[in-house]
Amino acid sequence: MSYWSESNWTAPQEFVILGFSGWPQWLRVLLFALLLPLYLATLAGNLLILGLAVVDPALHTPMYFFLGALSAVEAAYTLVLTPRMLAGFLLPPGGQAVAPSTCAAQMGLFVALGGSECLLLAAMALDRYLAICRPLYYPQLMTTGLCWCLLASCCAGGSLLALGLTTAIFQLPFCRGGLVNHVFCDLPAVLVLACGNRDLQEHVLLAACLLLLVLPLALILLSYTRVLVVILGVGGAAGRRKAFHTVASHLTVAVLHYGCATAMYARPLSSRSLEEDKLVSLIYINLTPLLYPAIYTLRNRDMQGALQRVVGHGTPGTAGQADGP
């Protein structure tokens, strides 16, 4: 509970995103120069993957449908967070002032896109499980209609969670000003500014972490464990190496994504260091999204073939249903 009287519990007229405005100017300029190319590469890579998945008929399979959807989410996620963060490196000390509605919108979009991505990764694991462990039933099970239903469910789940969390936080009174010690309007960074009893909001945040992080990660680990067991039992040495590489790549991205998210959000406010959270945010905002084009698809033969066909240097081919990226 705050020592301020309830008469002083007011909504701030604006929030100020501090970012790294307290760091030396030369260091902020250096970070801008280092992170701008990563941002452009991430955006270009994800848009390229999305475009190829849409225009090339050979990639019109469930696996590339989900990869294209994941790339679209990653591109939107990057556009929501990175431009304002990069601009903050070049602005004078003092941070960026934003209206409460803008802060709430950024928080809501971040949660919606991040939640949809968590669910999409689980849907992709389910697709690979059915393709490899149930190959005879895969065409009948993973239909176009089911793919769209899964995608819609992932987006709806992330959006509903975002609406609930954002509404719950911004209904609280604020008596600690509007200085957000982060690079964007992140949930914990805004929640620590609130007064009164925040137990409900903290419990809701922890429950959301359980639903979006722990359960999907458990499904992913179980699915890929089963996939690995099945493939190691059949085929030759080359097939086993390819299977192991595929599973290892997917698990690397999943563990990095869920690991960062769990470390950031599955903790009570009392044990947080906002300065450490800001440093970790540089990883999941700038580095993790860049891994998806590099690991999931741009190193994949089907995607390389699609790129060659689009630029006019190849012949039509077929993307195998059960082959992993």
Side-chain angles (χ1 to χ4, degrees):
M1 296 293 290
S2 171
Y3 293 107
W4 289 47
S5 65
E6 291 193 20
S7 61
N8 290 322
W9 293 3
T10 59
Q13 297 300 313
E14 63 181 15
F15 287 93
V16 178
I17 302 175
L18 296 177
F20 296 97
S21 59
W23 287 21
Q25 183 178 7
W26 67 268
L27 184 55
R28 290 188 284 117
V29 172
L30 177 62
L31 283 173
F32 176 84
L34 292 175
L35 297 179
L36 178 60
L38 295 182
Y39 164 65
L40 297 176
T42 299
L43 194 59
N46 282 298
L47 290 178
L48 175 62
I49 292 168
L50 175 60
L52 291 176
V54 170
V55 302
D56 192 275
L59 299 184
H60 291 176
T61 63
M63 182 177 74
Y64 291 105
F65 173 85
F66 289 117
L67 286 174
L70 182 67
S71 295
V73 170
E74 278 300 312
Y77 176 92
T78 301
L79 288 171
V80 166
L81 299 183
T82 311
R84 188 175 291 275
M85 182 198 69
L86 291 175
F89 289 128
L90 301 181
L91 293 177
Q96 305 176 70
V98 297
S101 59
T102 302
C103 186
Q106 187 183 49
M107 178 186 294
L109 287 172
F110 167 70
V111 176
L113 293 169
S116 299
E117 182 177 335
C118 289
L119 297 175
L120 265 175
L121 289 172
M124 292 168 61
L126 175 63
D127 171 67
R128 291 298 84 202
Y129 168 79
L130 292 176
I132 295 175
C133 300
R134 298 289 186 271
L136 295 180
Y137 302 99
Y138 179 71
Q140 290 77 29
L141 293 174
M142 195 58 68
T143 61
T144 301
L146 179 59
C147 290
W148 279 105
C149 286
L150 287 174
L151 176 59
S153 299
C154 293
C155 295
S159 299
L160 289 175
L161 179 68
L163 180 61
L165 284 176
T166 305
T167 302
I169 290 177
F170 277 87
Q171 282 182 341
L172 287 170
F174 294 89
C175 68
R176 297 182 175 89
L179 298 180
V180 181
N181 190 14
H182 210 281
V183 297
F184 68 100
C185 287
D186 197 14
L187 289 86
V190 175
L191 188 56
V192 297
L193 303 177
C195 299
N197 191 341
R198 302 174 301 195
D199 290 343
L200 175 62
Q201 283 74 13
E202 285 198 64
H203 292 156
V204 170
L205 181 58
L206 292 175
C209 290
L210 176 65
L211 291 175
L212 280 181
L213 300 177
V214 178
L215 295 181
L217 181 59
L219 175 61
I220 289 173
L221 292 176
L222 289 174
S223 297
Y224 283 124
T225 299
R226 179 59 179 167
V227 166
L228 187 60
V229 169
V230 169
I231 298 184
L232 289 179
V234 297
R240 287 194 294 268
R241 284 195 299 269
K242 180 180 179 181
F244 180 80
H245 182 269
T246 298
V247 173
S249 298
H250 283 225
L251 286 178
T252 298
V253 172
V255 169
L256 182 59
H257 174 80
Y258 287 102
C260 286
T262 302
M264 287 294 295
Y265 301 107
R267 293 180 292 146
L269 292 179
S270 58
S271 65
R272 288 183 173 276
S273 168
L274 294 181
E275 292 295 329
E276 293 179 0
D277 286 355
K278 283 196 299 186
L279 293 176
V280 175
S281 71
L282 294 178
I283 297 176
Y284 69 77
I285 292 177
N286 297 284
L287 296 182
T288 305
L290 185 62
L291 292 177
Y292 293 116
I295 293 180
Y296 270 126
T297 43
L298 293 184
R299 295 175 58 190
N300 175 270
R301 291 182 180 179
D302 292 333
M303 189 62 65
Q304 293 173 357
L307 182 59
Q308 292 175 353
R309 289 190 292 274
V310 167
V311 297
H313 296 296
T315 56
T318 301
Q321 283 184 326
D323 290 336

